[in-house]
Amino acid sequence: MTLVDVAAQAGVSVSSASRALTDKSASVDVRERVQLAARELGYVPDSTARSLKLGASRQVLFAVDDIGNPNYVAMLRAIERTFGYTGPRVSVATVGRDSGTPVDLVEAVSRGRADGLILSPIRRSSLLEERLSSSAIPTVVIGSVSESVQVDSVRIDSGKAIAIAAEHLIARGRRRIAFINGPSDTNPGEVRARGFAQSLRVAGIAADPMLEISAADFTVGAGVVAAHALFERGNYTELPFDAIVAANDLLAMAAINVAVGRGFRVPDDVAVTGLDDTELGSVFIPSITSVSLRAAERGARAAQMLEARFQHPQRPIERVAFEPELHVRASCGGAL
Amino acid sequence: MTLVDVAAQAGVSVSSASRALTDKSASVDVRERVQLAARELGYVPDSTARSLKLGASRQVLFAVDDIGNPNYVAMLRAIERTFGYTGPRVSVATVGRDSGTPVDLVEAVSRGRADGLILSPIRRSSLLEERLSSSAIPTVVIGSVSESVQVDSVRIDSGKAIAIAAEHLIARGRRRIAFINGPSDTNPGEVRARGFAQSLRVAGIAADPMLEISAADFTVGAGVVAAHALFERGNYTELPFDAIVAANDLLAMAAINVAVGRGFRVPDDVAVTGLDDTELGSVFIPSITSVSLRAAERGARAAQMLEARFQHPQRPIERVAFEPELHVRASCGGAL
DNA sequence: TTGAAAGCGATACCAT
DNA sequence: ATGGTATCGCTTTCAA
């Protein structure tokens, strides 16, 4: 069922059929006949052919590691809102371990399928960065990339965010602070570990490997496993920590669940902080003290930058940084 | 940067270039020259042109109302896992109120962009169903569609699920049961309202409009607003309800948060149940009694059905139904 | 093995 | 306003 069929049925040329359907100049008569024919035949234009001819797809791809993470959902909503009804349609691809690497993605999608790409990978790869450098379509990275890569990016120092959380706990008098990190082979995992170590150093607290653990993923499920492992380490009569810094809100929820399940009080026995400042975390009981990574703002900004690059392909590379922001809630004891 | 350029650079014909890159018959010499040229020029094939020629995109689209809902995330993961590494790439489009209607989507994506569509709309529309009937690409609906529409579907009776939750509360001796529903203009909203009413009727409990409220969305944020409204209705000294049935886990979390925030104990003063059986709900404190809608299984099944239709376009329409399953947890008092 | 050329389906230019 | 036709970038017959 192609435009040729519709044109034949309506008794006009394909050119006229095309015009009639895309509402260019066409007589009322032709327009009606063509639209009728299209309806009768159940004609649906082939977007692939149209894109090929037009050289644009009006599609933007948002590629994330795990769309189950509320952080990315917040970004997505902001991106969609920014493009709005008249902008390109945005679709999401997950590029986690299971579902194809970011490189696959950049390959697959590169040209034709989407006009632009917003990419938020958690694992750095030199291959990916190489591909990004010679990217076939406009791209904005939300996250960190090497300075050498010429690509627009929106970043935030999540190591600093972790440090802010840890410092807040220290300021409240907590001294034995545990850390539940995400996977250490990820960029956020690495950065957050450094941020945590740094904050202890500044406070003059000795780092203790027994108090640090990496969850297998930035998910609740992995967090529960990690938290249990943390609580079961060593032989103690008294809990060897009085606070837990979690690498995001999902891990914080898991930590609180496990702590409470083992009979400890949060925040009295163990204070807990998260990262991402999710709505879910603020509704959790106790509500979770969290450092915002400004996901929505970063998403919106990324969309704006992509749009700007569509307009001006030659504009200089732009790298924007946001500042993390602490939101004190009940899980660390509430406002000071 | 097209294949023509690569071919020129390598000093071969486009046909040879194409073969060299798609690994058909080509001499070692040619293959090497072409691949070198491609790398040098930063050539990336245009997927649009390829799809047009091949008549397939190896893409499947998953269209949902709100990917922020853990239920859809569970489906997505199952879909991706089912297609696996060798299957089509799946991308997600949200078709909520803000981001284009499902009809837009079916239009836009219909042909070319994706080989198949898995659609999980929450608002029924005759226009959508009409489009579905004459769908340009294989489609599976997760949710409910009129019997008259000839389309593969995977459904579950969420009204029954709500009834199971309410009946469980009644079995535990709760009698004044409130209901926080999702938006009433959605299909799940309608169905769940009927299921709730039905369960009261069976138990011989009079329905009380003061105890029912619709949240503006199936989200935590909307749930908090609705829960506050519910608690503030009427003038009472004693709480006019001893249980809340929530239309999903997000609304249940919101309800518990608000109840506890107002000084009530869950489940002692108010028992609460959810729907969807999310991981988040099981980690919430108290853990949320919930009726599983088998999101992962439905997602996997939908993917299988789509694959089957790819294989056998003429196979008869298949409609599969799943059964909801109650998971008793702390928010209603735990196991009986 | 290689190259020339047809064609996927739509759009837009150029005549009429 | 309408029709014929080249074209988007790629894959694939068909000959050589």
Side-chain angles (χ1 to χ4, degrees):
Chain A
M1 195 48 45
T2 76
L3 195 54
V4 178
D5 305 306
V6 175
Q9 167 97 349
V12 298
S13 70
V14 279
S15 337
S16 294
S18 173
R19 282 186 293 248
L21 291 173
T22 53
D23 151 70
K24 298 276 165 38
S25 53
S27 67
V28 182
D29 177 45
V30 167
R31 182 167 308 163
E32 281 179 354
R33 292 217 316 273
V34 171
Q35 289 180 345
L36 178 64
R39 208 166 318 119
E40 280 180 357
L41 297 173
Y43 168 75
V44 178
D46 185 309
S47 46
T48 254
R50 175 177 281 164
S51 297
L52 177 59
K53 181 64 183 165
L54 263 33
S57 60
R58 293 195 54 75
Q59 280 257 355
V60 162
L61 199 85
F62 180 43
V64 299
D65 192 79
D66 171 24
I67 193 63
N69 189 317
N71 200 36
Y72 296 122
V73 173
M75 285 181 192
L76 173 63
R77 291 203 175 120
I79 292 169
E80 286 182 334
R81 204 174 321 114
T82 303
F83 284 128
Y85 192 72
T86 57
R89 186 173 296 278
V90 7
S91 56
V92 185
T94 58
V95 290
R97 264 190 291 252
D98 308 329
S99 38
T101 68
V103 178
D104 285 347
L105 177 94
V106 174
E107 297 279 81
V109 169
S110 276
R111 221 151 40 98
R113 196 88 69 207
D115 300 335
L117 180 63
I118 298 178
L119 183 62
S120 192
I122 64 171
R123 282 168 234 274
R124 264 194 196 179
S125 116
S126 52
L127 185 54
L128 173 63
E129 299 204 329
E130 185 195 320
R131 284 294 197 295
L132 242 33
S133 308
S134 62
S135 179
I137 57 172
T139 299
V140 177
V141 173
I142 303 184
S144 69
V145 264
S146 312
E147 284 294 324
S148 63
V149 181
Q150 290 299 306
V151 65
D152 293 314
S153 65
V154 181
R155 53 187 79 191
I156 190 161
D157 185 347
S158 70
K160 187 172 177 181
I162 283 288
I164 289 173
E167 281 158 19
H168 180 75
L169 290 168
I170 293 168
R172 306 187 75 106
R174 309 280 169 161
R175 282 296 174 275
R176 294 161 301 144
I177 302 179
F179 180 39
I180 300 182
N181 198 2
S184 51
D185 67 332
T186 62
N187 194 261
E190 266 179 50
V191 170
R192 290 170 202 193
R194 277 204 296 276
F196 180 73
Q198 165 76 10
S199 61
L200 291 192
R201 206 175 315 121
V202 167
I205 299 175
D208 180 352
M210 291 295 281
L211 298 185
E212 296 187 26
I213 193 165
S214 288
D217 275 304
F218 285 101
T219 60
V220 169
V224 168
V225 173
H228 277 300
L230 176 68
F231 274 88
E232 279 164 14
R233 272 185 182 170
N235 280 320
Y236 50 82
T237 42
E238 197 190 355
L239 202 58
F241 48 85
D242 56 13
I244 300 175
V245 170
N248 76 6
D249 276 11
L250 297 178
L251 297 175
M253 290 181 212
I256 295 175
N257 177 276
V258 168
V260 170
R262 286 170 175 263
F264 298 101
R265 291 164 304 159
V266 176
D268 306 56
D269 299 327
V270 192
V272 178
T273 64
L275 225 69
D276 284 346
D277 186 38
T278 60
E279 190 174 41
L280 247 18
S282 73
V283 170
F284 202 82
I285 304 172
S287 62
I288 298 178
T289 292
S290 190
V291 183
S292 168
L293 259 26
R294 300 179 174 280
E297 291 160 82
R298 285 194 294 152
R301 190 58 187 270
Q304 287 162 3
M305 284 164 68
L306 193 55
E307 209 147 32
R309 186 150 305 283
F310 287 154
Q311 303 294 325
H312 309 288
Q314 300 307 326
R315 74 197 280 270
I317 294 297
E318 188 181 4
R319 297 178 225 261
V320 182
F322 281 80
E323 286 298 316
E325 185 178 43
L326 176 68
H327 293 263
V328 177
R329 299 205 183 82
S331 71
C332 72
L336 273 178
Chain B
M1 195 48 45
T2 76
L3 196 52
V4 177
D5 305 304
V6 175
Q9 167 99 346
V12 300
S13 70
V14 278
S15 339
S16 296
S18 172
R19 282 185 292 248
L21 291 174
T22 53
D23 137 81
K24 297 281 163 34
S25 54
S27 66
V28 181
D29 177 47
V30 167
R31 182 167 307 162
E32 282 178 355
R33 294 218 314 275
V34 171
Q35 290 180 344
L36 178 65
R39 210 165 318 118
E40 281 180 356
L41 297 172
Y43 169 74
V44 177
D46 185 310
S47 46
T48 262
R50 175 176 281 164
S51 297
L52 178 59
K53 181 65 185 170
L54 262 35
S57 61
R58 293 194 54 73
Q59 279 258 353
V60 161
L61 198 86
F62 180 44
V64 299
D65 192 78
D66 171 23
I67 193 61
N69 188 318
N71 199 37
Y72 296 121
V73 174
M75 286 181 191
L76 173 63
R77 292 204 175 119
I79 292 169
E80 286 182 335
R81 203 174 320 115
T82 302
F83 284 128
Y85 192 72
T86 59
R89 187 174 295 278
V90 6
S91 56
V92 185
T94 57
V95 290
R97 265 189 290 251
D98 308 330
S99 40
T101 68
V103 178
D104 285 344
L105 178 93
V106 174
E107 298 278 83
V109 169
S110 276
R111 219 151 41 99
R113 195 90 66 208
D115 300 335
L117 181 64
I118 298 178
L119 183 62
S120 193
I122 64 171
R123 283 167 232 275
R124 263 194 197 179
S125 115
S126 52
L127 184 53
L128 173 63
E129 300 204 329
E130 183 195 320
R131 283 296 197 292
L132 243 32
S133 308
S134 61
S135 179
I137 58 172
T139 300
V140 177
V141 172
I142 302 183
S144 68
V145 262
S146 310
E147 284 295 323
S148 63
V149 180
Q150 291 298 306
V151 65
D152 293 316
S153 64
V154 182
R155 52 186 82 192
I156 190 161
D157 186 346
S158 68
K160 187 171 178 181
I162 282 289
I164 290 173
E167 281 158 18
H168 180 75
L169 290 168
I170 293 168
R172 305 186 77 105
R174 309 279 169 160
R175 283 296 173 275
R176 293 161 303 146
I177 302 179
F179 180 41
I180 299 183
N181 197 4
S184 52
D185 67 333
T186 62
N187 195 260
E190 266 180 48
V191 171
R192 291 170 201 192
R194 278 204 296 274
F196 180 73
Q198 166 77 8
S199 62
L200 291 192
R201 208 175 313 121
V202 168
I205 298 175
D208 181 352
M210 290 294 281
L211 298 185
E212 296 186 26
I213 193 166
S214 289
D217 275 304
F218 285 101
T219 60
V220 169
V224 168
V225 172
H228 277 299
L230 176 66
F231 274 88
E232 278 163 14
R233 270 185 184 170
N235 280 321
Y236 51 81
T237 43
E238 198 189 355
L239 202 58
F241 49 85
D242 55 13
I244 301 175
V245 171
N248 76 6
D249 276 12
L250 297 178
L251 297 175
M253 290 180 213
I256 296 175
N257 176 276
V258 168
V260 170
R262 287 172 175 262
F264 299 102
R265 292 165 304 160
V266 176
D268 306 57
D269 299 325
V270 191
V272 177
T273 64
L275 225 70
D276 284 345
D277 187 38
T278 60
E279 191 175 40
L280 248 18
S282 74
V283 171
F284 202 83
I285 304 172
S287 62
I288 297 178
T289 292
S290 191
V291 183
S292 168
L293 259 25
R294 300 177 174 282
E297 292 160 82
R298 286 193 294 153
R301 188 60 187 269
Q304 288 162 3
M305 285 165 68
L306 192 56
E307 208 147 33
R309 184 148 307 281
F310 287 154
Q311 303 295 325
H312 309 288
Q314 300 306 326
R315 74 197 281 269
I317 294 297
E318 189 181 3
R319 296 179 226 261
V320 183
F322 281 80
E323 286 298 315
E325 186 178 41
L326 176 68
H327 293 263
V328 177
R329 298 204 183 84
S331 70
C332 71
L336 274 179

